[in-house]
Amino acid sequence: MLLLIVLLPLLVGTLSTMWLGNRSRLGSAVLAFAITSASLALLVGQGAAVMAGETVMNSWPWVPSLGLNLGFRLDGLSMMFAGLILFIGLLIIVYAHFYLSAKDSAAKFYSLMMLFMSAMLGVVLSDNLLLLVVFWELTSLSSFLLIGFWNHRPDARAGSRQALAVTGGGGLAMLGGFVLLGQIAGTYELSAMAANAAAIQADPMFLPALLLILVGAFTKSAQFPFHFWLPDAMAAPTPVSAYLHSATMVKAGIFLLMRMYPVLAGSGYFEVIVTTVGLITVVFAAFVAIFKHDLKGLLAYSTVSHLGLIVFLIGLGSPLAGVAAVFHVLNHATFKCSLFMIAGIVDHETHSRDMRQLGGLYKLMPWTATLSMVAAASMAGVPLTNGFLSKEMFFTEAVVGTAGVWAWLVPAFVTLAGVFSVAYSVRFVHDTYFNGPIGDVPNPHPHEPPLGMKLPAILLVVMCIVVGLLPAITFGPLVHVAATALAGQALPEYHLALWHGFNLPLLMSAIALAVGVSLYLWLARARWLHRISSEAWFGRFTGRSVFEGASDALFSLSGRLSIRLENGSLQRYLAWLVGAAVVVGAAPLLSGGGIGAGSRELLPANALAVAIWLLLGATCLAIVLTHHRRFQSVVLLGVVGLAVSLTFVSLSAPDLALTQLSVELVSTVLLLMGLALLPSQSPRESTAGRRTRDAVLALAGGAGVAWLAWVLLTRGHESIAWFFLENSLPLGGGSNVVNVILVDFRGYDTYGEITVLGIAAIGVLALMEGMTARRPLADPGGRRWTFVDQPLLLRVAASVVLPVALVFSIYIFMRGHNMPGGGFIAGLITSVALVLQLMSLGQARAEAVLRAHGGRRFVRWIGTGLGIAGLTGAGAFLFGKPFLTSAHGHPQVGWLGELPLASAALFDLGVYFTVVGATLLTISVLGTASREGIPSRDAGPVHDSGPGTNTLGARP
């Protein structure tokens, strides 16, 4: 059930809104709303058990050998965050429908929203740390796309890259911390770690793990000194800012601190680091927010400050500080999301967010102004609002949670932060709706927005008042179960109430309100505040400047290294590669601990082995002597591949021999087509010194590999082959051990390999699409090439070979689980047959018959293959088994009798489609690049004066 909460927006929402958004903007919004509501309903369905104190756990093995499982956990804390993500998401969907213009792609926006929503749900519901990292990085990627939604704007592109770099880098550090923590605890399950917290904290690797995890949390929640990415992300559309930067993305780091609290807290290091960073952030960001002239810029720094407040409370370590932190997470989401929406309304109506230009909007937009005043009052902590309650709890914990010199210093700092928050809240309202007539804005005649645009903000503002008056009835039960899950223990008695009597926290609130208003009025006199630029205070030491300086330095360093190492010479690249390998490989020999041959008994060399050695030696010598002639070199390399195939045959490996032969055929065609874009002969430009260097490196590399092979083959070793031989049939359902290994025992490796194959083929398409090569119309002897008529014998042979090859491919595919064959070999055989058709019919006609559409069909074949293989693996989850677990049996099927069936055959079918699609796509792209010849004005012989020799369907 918990998995379904995540999968609904991830699969159904992302794909369906993308499809419908190009057809109906309203339909896409309604669909996104319905899918989010369905996930929320599923979450609420689990609410009764969670509110009763239970924890709902769902787990499915994924890669159990690595500790990676699909483990989900729903307790009070995760339910609060998941509910916040879904509820605020519903409001944003409605708001965005009215906010986005007709030029903005609804399909793109809602599909990315669904993707981000599912990623956030995955983060807060994950019980497995490695699974949490997967969803964590998905939030970084999807937020990168959302922040850069208006990709025609340079500030949006820069802000999205900066956000991705900072949060992605933090995620990488967090992954390192999780790996260390998992190694310490012996598990990656959070629920299991909490019971062993004392032993974990006693380990010497705990501190490095803690620091790395905190870096991940601080970067995500924009804590000092990683705060700078958040204000620059305000270039995103306002619905994105309202969602990501009030209730979801920036709360991910907060959630991580709360979720990891039972494991990390209590060590002393956690409390000191977290409270210090939180206190610095809350004061610094609140001060800077006063001087931001952009509405969203002010709200961005305000968000950073309030996040610092929550981080500070978490770091104090007391159960009641945890209650205050949880309560403020909810309160901050309500007033900050509504304020972002209101800022978007002002921008939507006036086309400006600069408070130096705004003013006097109260007369033109009274309803919006009223909503702003209430929400800003909550942000400032004015009595009768929910913000006042959590601020009082913040002040209380700052007083009672500190001792010694900190007992007066910390309360002083938090009161100062309260002063600043009141000042920027007053500025948000006064500079926008009062402070004289409206200024020079692009639209000087704004009006109230449509009701659908105001309705989400109205609902949130009403919540600010209702929760402020009745906190125990509204948020109280949810806060209690969430804070209990945070603390990992029963909470002491406490009360959420509007009035707690006259005390020091109330005095601190009164001081903050009075001094904050006075501070703003003092700064605003004669519009002095409008002439202050906070960016000028820090000079080159602003976060953005430091980040850009570091980026420029890295690019400069990489440029200098590239100039020295990457000069366009493949010889130099290979020389460095082989030379480094030789040095590293020879290090043990040169250090005095030489590696000698083993004592294993050697087998006598038969005549076939001697013949293959001689063939290989002669072929290698011929390649060295004729390597300038590219065509001959390719043919000779094919001879080497043939020798390898014969070696496999002699070692009783027919599967490998068939695969090697098929690969050699396809590779030879691909190499010849690639070389068709180059001169038939490579120029002789190497100096004698370079040739000597290359010869030495080649001999050293070859001798080193030969020596290592000899050392390994002459030593005894314990083979794991017995495991596969014994279990191939009972566990994999097949007697062809090689194929069972590929599609069952090591199926995950195979899935990765075909994914890489598909990416490589699509990469060829991306790099070479539209490329055309200058080719001569004749060979070096003057014989003209023709691109029209193909040899009759080739056409007849190809027409006969194709159906035979396809039938043979089916045969090879079907027998692969029990006899030599399989999807990879069958795919190569099909590819060779289709390549023969391309050669006989000509590429244009053959692709017309295949309806290739410039290779696009082959891309779909790749996607189909990867989809079949992936769904086959994921199907095991339905039966509670790890990814790619296969099932097999021998059912009796009528007159067909007993049929050996295995689900791995479906996976093999995916391999087949991917191999065929990738091979034909690469050949199609290469053939298209060299399809046409160069018109010649000279009727006489044309000699080879440019790159290229031949292409598919061309003959002299």
Side-chain angles (χ1 to χ4, degrees), residues 203-247:
D203 193 279
M205 294 305 295
F206 171 74
L207 181 57
L210 171 66
L211 294 176
L212 290 170
I213 293 171
L214 291 182
V215 168
F218 293 158
T219 52
K220 203 73 163 183
S221 288
Q223 295 299 285
F224 182 88
F226 308 109
H227 63 282
F228 56 89
W229 70 265
L230 182 57
D232 288 343
M234 293 300 108
T238 298
V240 173
S241 301
Y243 192 47
L244 272 64
H245 306 139
S246 67

Side-chain angles (χ1 to χ4, degrees), residues 103 163 261 276 437 443 491 519 591 598 728 760 874 906:
K103 296 179 181 179
Y261 181 86
T276 302
N443 179 22
L491 299 174
L519 175 63
S591 63
S728 176
L906 288 174

Side-chain angles (χ1 to χ4, degrees), residues 71-91:
F72 295 95
R73 173 187 183 186
L74 183 66
D75 58 7
L77 185 65
S78 54
M79 188 175 74
M80 182 192 76
F81 275 93
L84 198 61
I85 292 164
L86 292 167
F87 175 71
I88 298 296
L90 288 174
L91 300 182

Side-chain angles (χ1 to χ4, degrees), residues 105 163 230 274 641:
S105 172
L230 182 57
V274 174

Side-chain angles (χ1 to χ4, degrees), residues 56-292:
V56 180
M57 303 286 292
N58 293 152
S59 182
W60 297 269
W62 187 0
V63 190
S65 60
L66 297 178
L68 175 57
N69 301 307
L70 291 176
F72 295 95
R73 173 187 183 186
L74 183 66
D75 58 7
L77 185 65
S78 54
M79 188 175 74
M80 182 192 76
F81 275 93
L84 198 61
I85 292 164
L86 292 167
F87 175 71
I88 298 296
L90 288 174
L91 300 182
I92 294 299
I93 290 168
V94 175
Y95 177 82
H97 175 67
F98 294 92
Y99 178 87
L100 297 176
S101 69
K103 296 179 181 179
D104 297 322
S105 172
K108 177 181 176 182
F109 179 82
Y110 287 115
S111 62
L112 290 177
M113 278 286 294
M114 293 289 100
L115 179 63
F116 177 81
M117 181 185 295
S118 64
M120 280 299 306
L121 288 171
V123 167
V124 301
L125 294 177
S126 293
D127 186 52
N128 183 277
L129 287 181
L130 298 181
L131 181 65
L132 190 149
V133 170
V134 173
F135 287 115
W136 185 280
E137 293 305 318
L138 187 57
T139 63
S140 295
L141 292 173
S142 52
S143 65
F144 164 76
L145 297 173
L146 281 168
I147 294 171
F149 180 80
W150 285 329
N151 53 23
H152 60 281
R153 290 173 46 176
D155 57 339
R157 297 195 300 270
S160 62
R161 289 195 300 267
Q162 184 173 268
L164 180 62
V166 175
T167 60
L172 186 61
M174 184 188 73
L175 173 60
F178 282 173
V179 171
L180 288 177
L181 200 62
Q183 295 301 309
I184 296 170
T187 179
Y188 289 102
E189 306 300 319
L190 269 168
S191 52
M193 284 185 180
N196 198 27
I200 292 173
Q201 294 179 13
D203 193 279
M205 294 305 295
F206 171 74
L207 181 57
L210 171 66
L211 294 176
L212 290 170
I213 293 171
L214 291 182
V215 168
F218 293 158
T219 52
K220 203 73 163 183
S221 288
Q223 295 299 285
F224 182 88
F226 308 109
H227 63 282
F228 56 89
W229 70 265
L230 182 57
D232 288 343
M234 293 300 108
T238 298
V240 173
S241 301
Y243 192 47
L244 272 64
H245 306 139
S246 67
T248 53
M249 180 179 174
V250 294
K251 297 287 174 62
I254 299 294
F255 170 80
L256 182 65
L257 293 176
M258 291 182 171
R259 174 54 78 207
M260 300 291 294
Y261 181 86
V263 180
L264 303 180
S267 62
Y269 298 113
F270 178 86
E271 288 78 6
V272 171
I273 297 172
V274 174
T275 51
T276 302
V277 170
L279 186 59
I280 293 173
T281 303
V282 67
V283 177
F284 168 78
F287 176 72
V288 175
I290 301 173
F291 303 95
K292 290 299 170 183

Side-chain angles (χ1 to χ4, degrees), residues 294-609:
D294 176 66
L295 282 174
K296 287 175 64 176
L298 182 151
L299 293 178
Y301 272 97
S302 165
T303 298
V304 172
S305 178
H306 281 271
L307 294 174
L309 182 157
I310 300 171
V311 168
F312 171 78
L313 288 171
I314 295 171
L316 286 178
S318 70
L320 292 184
V323 174
V326 167
F327 190 35
H328 197 64
V329 166
L330 295 172
N331 291 337
H332 177 259
T334 54
F335 66 69
K336 189 55 61 66
C337 186
S338 62
L339 285 170
F340 268 115
M341 290 180 178
I342 290 167
I345 289 173
V346 172
D347 187 19
H348 187 270
E349 296 301 320
T350 65
H351 302 166
S352 175
R353 300 197 309 257
D354 191 337
M355 288 182 285
R356 293 169 297 185
Q357 297 176 345
L358 299 172
L361 289 181
Y362 180 81
K363 295 181 180 179
L364 301 172
M365 304 169 64
W367 283 101
T368 302
T370 303
L371 295 174
S372 296
M373 286 185 276
V374 176
S378 181
M379 181 168 64
V382 175
L384 305 183
T385 65
N386 59 351
F388 170 75
L389 297 177
S390 52
K391 188 179 74 172
E392 287 288 288
M393 297 173 73
F394 168 53
F395 287 161
T396 300
E397 294 305 314
V399 171
V400 303
T402 55
V405 67
W406 302 107
W408 64 269
L409 195 58
V410 170
F413 275 122
V414 299
T415 304
L416 186 62
V419 169
F420 295 152
S421 69
V422 171
Y424 65 64
S425 299
V426 173
R427 183 186 182 187
F428 183 91
V429 173
H430 182 259
D431 263 0
T432 305
Y433 301 101
F434 303 100
N435 203 20
I438 188 171
D440 184 19
V441 296
N443 179 22
H445 304 290
H447 52 76
E448 291 288 351
L451 178 61
M453 199 170 180
K454 285 189 297 188
L455 195 59
I458 292 174
L459 178 60
L460 291 171
V461 169
V462 169
M463 289 178 64
C464 291
I465 298 297
V466 173
V467 173
L469 297 174
L470 304 169
I473 299 175
T474 51
F475 282 169
L478 184 59
V479 169
H480 181 76
V481 294
T484 302
L486 163 62
Q489 60 185 2
L491 299 174
E493 185 178 356
Y494 69 94
H495 301 284
L496 294 179
L498 178 61
W499 178 252
H500 290 279
F502 292 100
N503 50 31
L504 181 58
L506 182 63
L507 176 62
M508 294 164 66
S509 293
I511 292 173
L513 287 171
V515 178
V517 173
S518 302
L519 175 63
Y520 170 72
L521 294 176
W522 179 70
L523 290 172
R525 68 189 191 283
R527 295 183 179 264
W528 181 43
L529 183 59
H530 290 185
R531 296 189 294 272
I532 299 176
S533 175
S534 61
E535 297 292 331
W537 297 343
F538 305 100
R540 294 182 299 172
F541 295 99
T542 63
R544 183 193 308 170
S545 299
V546 172
F547 174 80
E548 291 177 351
S551 300
D552 292 342
L554 285 174
F555 279 114
S556 176
L557 176 61
S558 63
R560 291 194 298 270
L561 290 175
S562 297
I563 291 173
R564 291 181 177 273
L565 299 177
E566 188 178 350
N567 64 342
S569 171
L570 294 178
Q571 286 179 312
R572 174 178 288 192
Y573 303 159
L574 289 174
W576 278 106
L577 181 63
V578 176
V582 168
V583 170
V584 173
L589 298 175
L590 299 176
S591 63
I595 303 175
S599 57
R600 187 177 182 182
E601 184 180 356
L602 304 181
L603 298 175
N606 54 33
L608 177 60

Side-chain angles (χ1 to χ4, degrees), residues 4 7 79 205 265 298 361 364 397 502 643 652 682 729 771 807 840 906 931:
L4 189 58
L7 290 183
M79 188 175 74
M205 294 305 295
L298 182 151
L361 289 181
L364 301 172
E397 294 305 314
F502 292 100
S652 302
S682 59
L729 188 58
M771 179 187 294
V807 173
S840 64
L906 288 174
R931 183 180 296 173

